[in-house]
Amino acid sequence: MNAQIQAHAHQGRRVVFAALCGLFVGSASLVGQAAAGPTQNAAAGAAVFGSKGCVQCHAIKAMGGGAGPDLGLIEERRSFFQLAAAMWNHLPAMHATMAEAGTERPRLSAQETGDLIAFLFTLDYFDAIGSADSGRALFAERKCVLCHQVQGAGGVIGPSLDYLSQYSSPMFVAAAMWGHGPGMAETMRSLRVERPRLTGSEFRDLMAFFQSVSEASHGGPMYVLPGRADVGRELFSSKSCLRCHSVRGSGGQIGPPLGGRGLEWSASDFVAALWNKAPSMQAAMLAGGILIPDLSAEEMADLVAYLYSVNYFSETGDTRRGRQLVTQKGCLQCHGLDARGGTTAPDLAEITGLVTQTEVVSALWSHTTSGVETSAGELAGWPALSASDMADLVAFLRGLRQAP
């Protein structure tokens, strides 16, 4: 497994930490490589994070500005709508801070908003931080210690896991676990060890444990840079995923459809599910005469970016609750709806371009903060939205103006 991951890390992938810096500030070669397409593009979102000035105020795992919170070190788990709600709730204060610094609030198109959120997803923004203590206990309880060593303690059937501190993306481990899974399963059968199942939380705890006890590389951590949805779409076909799974009505019926599943999963949840389902998936492939594909870490990231773009990880809201919130949150003081409400802002039913989730979030981000004053960090007259509020409002606004 160690050799496999090491090989993945050096097969021409964009994994060196310095490359991430170049992508943040908009490296021409990488941005050109990640031209915006019809889906959310995480690699293009990295360029948005730099070119729109987000990196001047926010860091990701200590890389970037310090005026705002580090988006890679927020402990609680987050979702798409938690991020959208946070952007909305802090918009007046963020606008005021930018005004004081003489910085104009950047405008984000729907494509840029989607790309930016996809970028944060693939860099683990939506993952909670694991517990090293819980991971240490799991390492023993799930019998990992029988085959693998950590700090010289454990078995020698599999590779030592001391090197894992330098791999900061679940995609490295996901690719290795997928490719090495059949061999690991055979070894566990010979040892009469039950193959452990993992939740996303347990996977995060194990990674936290490995990183807490492993000696860091002198070259710094290595990252799989954000996946490319367009490349992932091609891989989904070329790697035979399409023979078993359908997306938006196209593809096989052996496995469940993957487009629009609406799973509130982080990257770690996805990796854990892939580990749990890998034996049955690979058995079905062999039975159907399908060659089990090898996947590099970059290819895994590209596939995940594609699945993210087709709403595999998206959440859903309640349109009726969203209609109620439009009144409860004071939207109709300015906006009209159903021949009632204000006239100082566009009628909600007449606003175009609110078909996708990211189009709605983009419009909310671009919302004016005129007349909203801040005092001691508190917002006057600006309605606070929870994640569920945001999901319901987005569902309602999308339903008002669906594409013909």
Side-chain angles (χ1 to χ4, degrees):
M1 182 174 177
N2 187 8
Q4 188 174 17
I5 288 188
Q6 297 274 10
H8 287 330
H10 298 290
Q11 291 174 355
R13 284 187 299 279
R14 304 157 293 151
V15 295
V16 182
F17 188 60
L20 190 57
C21 303
L23 192 54
F24 274 174
V25 299
S27 165
S29 61
L30 288 178
V31 173
Q33 188 181 48
T39 56
Q40 291 172 253
N41 191 318
V48 171
F49 190 80
S51 65
K52 295 293 185 177
C54 311
V55 72
Q56 295 178 18
C57 294
H58 295 282
I60 292 182
K61 296 182 180 176
M63 197 178 105
D70 188 317
L71 301 183
L73 297 177
I74 299 175
E75 291 192 1
E76 70 275 10
R77 178 178 171 176
R78 300 153 297 274
S79 69
F80 174 95
F81 288 114
Q82 283 174 320
L83 172 62
M87 291 172 66
W88 169 262
N89 292 337
H90 294 294
L91 188 56
M94 292 169 67
H95 179 74
T97 299
M98 292 177 184
E100 290 177 4
T103 302
E104 184 177 354
R105 174 158 48 113
R107 295 293 178 181
L108 294 173
S109 68
Q111 182 69 56
E112 290 169 336
T113 301
D115 292 344
L116 182 60
I117 292 172
F119 163 64
L120 293 174
F121 179 86
T122 58
L123 285 189
D124 310 331
Y125 173 79
F126 297 101
D127 251 335
I129 296 175
S131 165
D133 289 340
S134 296
R136 182 188 297 274
L138 281 168
F139 188 70
E141 292 169 5
R142 300 302 169 86
K143 312 296 188 193
C144 311
V145 70
L146 293 180
C147 295
H148 298 282
Q149 283 193 359
V150 171
Q151 290 187 314
V156 295
I157 297 173
S160 167
L161 301 181
D162 285 336
Y163 66 94
L164 282 178
S165 66
Q166 61 186 306
Y167 296 98
S168 297
S169 168
M171 299 306 145
F172 276 117
V173 182
M177 289 167 70
W178 171 261
H180 199 60
M184 293 173 66
E186 184 61 35
T187 299
M188 283 186 278
R189 278 194 295 270
S190 68
L191 295 175
R192 297 184 180 180
V193 173
E194 183 179 358
R195 191 178 194 275
R197 293 184 62 84
L198 294 172
T199 65
S201 176
E202 289 169 339
F203 175 79
R204 289 188 289 272
D205 291 343
L206 282 169
M207 291 303 297
F209 165 57
F210 297 144
Q211 292 174 6
S212 72
V213 298
S214 302
E215 183 178 349
S217 168
H218 295 300
M222 301 185 75
Y223 293 79
V224 174
L225 293 194
R228 299 155 295 177
D230 55 342
V231 176
R233 182 172 58 245
E234 296 172 0
L235 287 169
F236 193 79
S237 176
S238 66
K239 296 290 185 178
S240 299
C241 309
L242 197 61
R243 293 181 61 179
C244 294
H245 299 281
S246 66
V247 173
R248 295 172 177 168
S250 177
Q253 304 298 318
I254 298 174
L258 300 185
R261 293 200 69 188
L263 300 173
E264 298 182 31
W265 279 358
S266 68
S268 291
D269 294 320
F270 173 78
V271 174
L274 185 65
W275 164 258
N276 294 335
K277 296 177 182 295
S280 60
M281 291 171 63
Q282 292 173 343
M285 295 178 75
L286 290 173
I290 301 172
L291 182 66
I292 297 175
D294 185 37
L295 293 171
S296 69
E298 185 180 46
E299 288 172 334
M300 185 67 74
D302 291 336
L303 282 169
V304 169
Y306 170 60
L307 291 176
Y308 187 87
S309 77
V310 296
N311 295 330
Y312 180 83
F313 298 99
S314 69
E315 302 155 81
T316 58
D318 186 310
T319 56
R320 290 181 299 177
R321 169 70 177 152
R323 179 178 285 274
Q324 295 170 358
L325 285 170
V326 165
T327 299
Q328 294 172 3
K329 296 295 182 177
C331 305
L332 297 187
Q333 293 180 18
C334 299
H335 293 278
L337 179 67
D338 299 334
R340 63 190 179 93
T343 59
T344 58
D347 188 292
L348 293 175
E350 297 177 359
I351 301 174
T352 60
L354 298 182
V355 175
T356 67
Q357 292 178 349
T358 53
E359 284 175 335
V360 177
V361 174
S362 174
L364 292 174
W365 167 258
S366 300
H367 197 289
T368 180
T369 57
S370 177
V372 179
E373 298 179 356
T374 60
S375 175
E378 297 183 357
L379 309 180
W382 189 262
L385 298 176
S386 67
S388 60
D389 288 341
M390 183 63 73
D392 294 337
L393 281 170
V394 168
F396 169 65
L397 292 172
R398 290 178 66 198
L400 285 175
R401 196 81 177 181
Q402 290 290 352

